[in-house]
Amino acid sequence: MLSLNNIFDTIDMIDKQHLDIRTITMGISLLDCVSEDPERCCEKIYDKICRRAEKLVKTGEDIESEFGIPIVNKRISVTPIALVAGSCETEDYVPFALTLDRAAKTCGVNFIGGYSALVHKGFAKGDELLLRAIPQAMAQTDLVCSSVNVGSTRAGINMDAVAKMGRIIKETAHLTRDTDGLGCAKLVVFCNAVEDNPFMAGAFHGVGEADSVINVGVSGPGVVYHALQKCKGAPFDVVAETIKKTAFQITRMGQMVAAEASERLNVPFGIVDLSLAPTPAVGDSVARILEEMGLETCGTHGTTAALALLNDAVKKGGIMASGHVGGLSGAFIPVSEDEGMIAAAECGTLTIDKLEAMTCVCSVGLDMIAVPGDTSAETISAIIADEAAIGMVNSKTTAVRIIPVEGKDVGDVVEMGGLLGSAPVMPVHKAQSADFIARGGRIPAPLQSLKN
């Protein structure tokens, strides 16, 4: 039973410490929408999404109003479109993205994810056609997010796909150059992508999921930061215990909202993703948590160790609060979306190399990073390959969401707006990786993949 102090603590977290439900995401299977006729397939996709998610936004708003808990985003994820469209007699997959965009706008959600392909071991016909369509799809839609899984611990890394993604990201940046490459902010490249991630841009509804589910993503960097201010100078054992207790409280709130949304929508409850997802707001930063542990600036020596402690403690606290923790669950480090990361990058302490090291111990990977517009496709592919290798060898999910901004160079700032924040353009190494990327083929799976 909740005590009065628990209730007051939670109210304080919401009012003063930026605690919120970052997203309620409804996952919807589109496998029963398959048709040889592309127009019929698009019609079935639109009808099913609108039918299933018709009350999603209203339900989220009702819960938000009744419980006083901010729910920032309402989103939809669908079966990877490369699977659904693969049997259609067409080579143009842009209409599928337009259909998703139209359905998302009809339902009133913030984003829809699942314009995706899983190519970690090779390409099917639908995969190749979807990849070809990504730049146009991202340029012609407002709410559609795309993801491509290029590697896994079990399969290795598809380097042909990695090479393609470098070129696709460059083309997407070019087609959305009027908005500083905004299309690239809706496109993420994964290794070990998960089937139940509620966060964009990487959300899709996995084939192992139910016909529809409710997944909730919670967030509370500001709450953790505030809690750590009460244990200044304490040993790391105390720091870890404090984070665990705080993560427990955050996750319990997410569990309650997920269960309530599930019951009201008559859709099975999937998972709570307890990731610490920052925003550009002051006081809602993962970087500031690390600095509160004793670092002068995020990115300096000791940052990786501090992040490892944070990520582990968040998972340990959250897993006790919900029987269905899933998704990515950890600490996100998106540069443009974190006020402290932005400051650290602008002063030069936080570099891409350091971010890469940090991704070894946290959720996802190199996220929302702006680089000079003249960065080559091969360099982008090499960055993706490095990050995929970290995920493959460590049996964890890693990703790259990178934005080559045409006409901008190191020191410039890109304004994305809203939760996407502002991204300082960060330097990349000038030495070329073109011959490495040109080899193609597949980097074999590591020895630890042989677990049977």
Side-chain angles (χ1 to χ4, degrees):
M1 185 174 179
L2 288 174
S3 71
L4 203 56
N5 284 339
N6 291 144
I7 295 170
F8 286 146
D9 282 348
T10 303
I11 292 172
D12 203 43
M13 289 176 184
I14 293 169
D15 285 347
K16 300 176 183 177
Q17 301 164 29
H18 303 282
L19 178 61
D20 58 45
I21 298 296
R22 186 55 47 85
T23 178
I24 292 180
T25 301
M26 177 180 282
I28 302 172
S29 172
L30 300 182
L31 292 175
D32 56 351
C33 298
V34 172
S35 171
E36 290 186 358
D37 181 353
E39 291 186 7
R40 176 59 180 150
C41 185
C42 285
E43 182 182 319
K44 291 170 74 175
I45 288 170
Y46 178 83
D47 289 345
K48 183 168 187 181
I49 292 172
C50 293
R51 185 172 67 251
R52 287 299 173 93
E54 177 185 12
K55 299 178 180 178
L56 176 63
V57 172
K58 177 66 165 56
T59 299
E61 290 173 346
D62 288 346
I63 294 172
E64 186 174 14
S65 176
E66 290 174 32
F67 290 88
I69 298 171
I71 300 174
V72 180
N73 290 290
K74 294 84 179 175
R75 297 164 171 169
I76 297 169
S77 63
V78 299
T79 308
I81 290 298
L83 299 177
V84 181
S87 65
C88 292
E89 294 182 352
T90 180
E91 294 196 350
D92 182 7
Y93 276 26
V94 174
F96 294 99
L98 298 174
T99 299
L100 293 180
D101 202 47
R102 185 162 60 95
K105 289 174 178 176
T106 299
C107 295
V109 296
N110 304 94
F111 285 109
I112 184 166
Y115 196 74
S116 307
L118 311 176
V119 297
H120 39 283
K121 210 169 183 180
F123 301 96
K125 172 197 167 188
D127 299 325
E128 296 209 29
L129 293 173
L130 184 129
L131 263 63
R132 186 192 305 171
I134 285 175
Q136 286 290 343
M138 294 301 96
Q140 293 182 34
T141 61
D142 298 313
L143 306 180
V144 176
C145 292
S146 179
S147 60
V148 178
N149 192 66
V150 299
S152 75
T153 300
R154 299 287 290 191
I157 302 172
N158 182 349
M159 290 300 292
D160 292 323
V162 169
K164 282 179 183 285
M165 290 312 301
R167 297 191 292 271
I168 287 167
I169 289 169
K170 284 286 287 185
E171 186 180 350
T172 303
H174 178 69
L175 292 179
T176 58
R177 61 192 179 279
D178 291 343
T179 53
D180 287 333
L182 186 61
C184 296
K186 302 187 294 172
L187 171 60
V188 59
V189 186
F190 275 119
C191 177
N192 288 322
V194 297
E195 295 189 328
D196 55 3
N197 167 25
F199 287 101
M200 298 298 169
F204 63 85
H205 187 70
V207 295
E209 298 287 310
D211 193 59
S212 60
V213 295
I214 288 292
N215 298 322
V216 165
V218 297
S219 182
V223 179
V224 175
Y225 173 74
H226 182 81
L228 289 185
Q229 288 182 315
K230 299 177 181 179
C231 54
K232 288 184 182 294
F236 284 115
D237 314 74
V238 176
V239 172
E241 196 64 26
T242 301
I243 295 170
K244 281 166 56 180
K245 290 176 180 177
T246 306
F248 178 88
Q249 289 179 279
I250 294 169
T251 308
R252 287 302 286 176
M253 188 183 75
Q255 171 81 14
M256 180 188 72
V257 170
E260 192 69 26
S262 170
E263 182 178 346
R264 295 188 185 197
L265 290 165
N266 194 30
V267 172
F269 165 37
I271 58 94
V272 175
D273 187 318
L274 51 96
S275 297
L276 294 182
T279 71
V282 174
D284 199 27
S285 162
V286 169
R288 298 306 185 195
I289 296 174
L290 305 180
E291 291 168 0
E292 184 61 29
M293 292 186 198
L295 305 174
E296 182 179 352
T297 306
C298 178
T300 192
H301 306 297
T303 300
T304 305
L307 185 58
L309 183 152
L310 173 64
N311 207 53
D312 180 66
V314 165
K315 291 176 188 291
K316 286 175 177 173
I319 202 72
M320 295 298 293
S322 173
H324 297 283
V325 170
L328 299 168
S329 289
F332 287 179
I333 51 172
V335 174
S336 80
E337 299 173 13
D338 186 307
E339 168 267 326
M341 297 285 176
I342 294 168
E346 286 178 336
C347 75
T349 304
L350 187 64
T351 65
I352 291 179
D353 287 343
K354 185 60 179 181
L355 281 164
E356 187 178 294
M358 292 163 66
T359 62
C360 296
V361 299
C362 75
S363 295
V364 197
L366 298 174
D367 196 15
M368 287 302 291
I369 294 171
V371 296
D374 61 0
T375 303
S376 70
E378 292 81 8
T379 295
I380 292 171
S381 293
I383 291 170
I384 293 169
D386 280 344
E387 199 59 34
I390 290 172
M392 175 185 71
V393 171
N394 291 288
S395 301
K396 69 186 294 293
T397 303
T398 53
V400 172
R401 191 160 45 143
I402 191 167
I403 307 163
V405 188
E406 287 196 11
K408 300 218 169 174
D409 208 340
V410 177
D412 294 331
V413 175
V414 182
E415 295 292 342
M416 295 289 177
L419 285 176
L420 295 177
S422 61
V425 178
M426 302 177 71
V428 299
H429 293 295
K430 296 298 183 183
Q432 294 298 305
S433 309
D435 290 345
F436 174 77
I437 295 301
R439 288 179 178 272
R442 185 150 52 97
I443 293 178
L447 189 59
Q448 55 264 45
S449 68
L450 301 176
K451 293 183 177 179
N452 291 335

